[in-house]
Amino acid sequence: MSVLAPASHKPSLKLSIQGVSRVFTSPKGHQTQALTPIQFEVRENDFVTILGPSGCGKSTLLRIVAGLDQPSTGQVLLDGQPVEGPGADRGMVFQSYTLFPWLTIEQNIRFGLRERGLPEAQQKERSDYFIAKVGLRGFEQHFPKQLSGGMQQRTAIARALANDPKILLLDEPFGALDNQTRVLMQELLLGIWESAQKTVLFVTHDIDEAIFMANRVAVFSARPGRIKAEIAVNFPHPRHYTVKTSPEFMAIKARLTEEIRAESMAAAEH
C-alpha cells in the first residue's frame, strides 16, 4: 500500500529551498563556492534522495537544511518558517554513529524527549514503540559499543523519529555498513516511512540506493553544486529489493549513471 497522496490531491509544501548558495572562505581569504543558488521544494510525505559525485555539496545542503550551517545567500523554509539554526522539528542521522557512548540504547532514544521535558511515561511509551519498530527489543539496556554498526544506526534512526520531527534528514546513513546489512536497513527505513508518513531528505552517493529508496531523485552537478535534474521513481509500495532487477529500474539506473559519469568527468577536468 502506498503512503503517497492520491493524484487528485497534491500534498502540501513542506520544505522550500530558495536561492541557497554557500561559499567557504579559508583563513587566508581564498573562496570556494560549494553551492550555486538552488531552488528546490519537498512536499509532505516525499522521500527525496540527493545523488551526485563526491564533493558536490550534497552534505553541505543537508547541513544548511538542518540548521548546522548557514547559507551565503537565500533561505530555507520549513512549513513556511525560516530555518535559522538546529531544531527538534528536523531529525538528523549521520553516516558516523553519533550516539552517546555513556548512555544505553533506551537512554539515547529518550534523550531528546527528556530535554523537551516530556513526562517519564511518555518518554518510555515513545522509546518502547520505536525500539520495537527498528527491531531492537531486548537490547534496550545495552551500550552502543556492544552493538553492531547496523544496530547503532537503527538506534540513531529511532532516536530521530522518537522526537516526531517534521522532516527526517539522512546523510549517507548506511555508507559504512556491509552490503547485506545495508539492504536490510534500506527496507527497514522504507517500512517506517510507509507507516509513519514522514517527509525524508536522504543524501547518498549510491545509485541503486537512490532509486530504491525514493519517489524522486535530485541529481547534483559537480562542484559548485546545483540540482541539474529531477527524476521521478514510481515503483509501488511496499517495495522489495527484487525491484532492482526490473527493466524500469535498470532504465533509471542507466540514466543516472550517465548523469553522474558526465559530472565526474567535468569535475576531473577542472
Side-chain angles (χ1 to χ4, degrees), residues 64-71 75-76 81-87 89-90:
I64 290 172
V65 174
L68 300 173
D69 192 11
Q70 295 298 314
Q75 65 175 348
V76 175
Q81 299 301 309
V83 169
E84 297 175 341
D89 55 357
R90 281 146 289 146

Side-chain angles (χ1 to χ4, degrees), residues 202-222:
F202 186 111
V203 165
T204 181
H205 65 272
D206 185 280
I207 294 174
D208 281 25
E209 182 170 77
I211 303 168
F212 180 66
M213 302 295 288
N215 60 350
R216 185 160 50 111
V217 181
V219 184
F220 255 56
S221 69

Side-chain angles (χ1 to χ4, degrees), residues 13-140:
L13 182 62
K14 175 61 69 173
L15 179 74
S16 179
I17 298 170
Q18 302 179 344
V20 165
S21 70
R22 184 67 170 99
V23 177
F24 293 98
T25 304
S26 73
K28 293 185 177 181
H30 176 71
Q31 291 193 329
T32 300
Q33 184 156 17
L35 298 172
T36 56
I38 289 174
Q39 299 286 143
F40 191 65
E41 293 182 344
V42 179
R43 297 200 167 268
E44 187 85 33
N45 301 343
D46 259 357
F47 196 126
V48 178
T49 52
I50 299 177
L51 179 71
S54 179
C56 70
K58 306 183 297 293
S59 294
T60 297
L61 180 62
L62 202 70
R63 287 178 61 84
I64 290 172
V65 174
L68 300 173
D69 192 11
Q70 295 298 314
S72 300
T73 65
Q75 65 175 348
V76 175
L77 302 178
L78 183 61
D79 282 340
Q81 299 301 309
V83 169
E84 297 175 341
D89 55 357
R90 281 146 289 146
M92 186 81 181
V93 180
F94 299 91
Q95 178 175 347
S96 57
Y97 310 135
T98 54
L99 304 176
F100 299 117
W102 59 90
L103 298 180
T104 66
I105 298 312
E106 181 180 0
Q107 289 168 339
N108 264 283
I109 294 171
R110 291 173 64 166
F111 181 82
L113 305 176
R114 190 189 72 194
E115 292 297 298
R116 286 165 49 195
L118 260 68
E120 187 82 14
Q122 281 185 254
Q123 291 181 37
K124 180 160 182 56
E125 180 183 5
R126 288 195 66 78
S127 66
D128 285 352
Y129 174 80
F130 284 103
I131 283 169
K133 201 74 174 172
V134 301
L136 287 175
R137 188 169 284 159
F139 294 91
E140 297 92 331

